[in-house]
Amino acid sequence: MSGELDAAEREGRQVVIECRAVRSPRWTARSLELLGRTLQEAGHSDQARAAFEQSLQIYTDLNPHDADRVRRQLPSAS
């Protein structure tokens, strides 16, 4: 399972880079949220929190519903 999580983390980080490169804030936020979940599953709490916080920062300006969803995930990332 660890190998799968490592691959998912690498791919998730790459997707975040690509979404930023094409200047897509909505998909950058979503990718960061999913990366946060992957990092959380892998036991990387600090990195998960950072990804969720970056996602939340973007979503706060875009969509309150999405921001609330990410905000609810923050406590479980610690």
Side-chain angles (χ1 to χ4, degrees), residues 10-64:
R10 280 191 306 276
E11 290 175 22
R13 291 185 186 282
Q14 184 60 40
V15 170
V16 170
I17 290 167
E18 291 172 12
C19 289
R20 284 182 173 150
V22 298
R23 301 184 196 284
S24 177
R26 182 171 309 282
W27 286 108
T28 299
R30 183 67 174 144
S31 298
L32 283 162
E33 179 184 358
L34 295 174
L35 176 60
R37 289 181 187 177
T38 300
L39 291 165
Q40 187 177 31
E41 182 71 24
H44 304 299
S45 299
D46 291 342
Q47 292 176 41
R49 175 172 287 284
F52 286 136
E53 287 175 348
Q54 289 175 56
S55 177
L56 178 60
Q57 183 178 11
I58 297 167
Y59 273 142
T60 297
D61 294 333
L62 292 177
N63 186 315

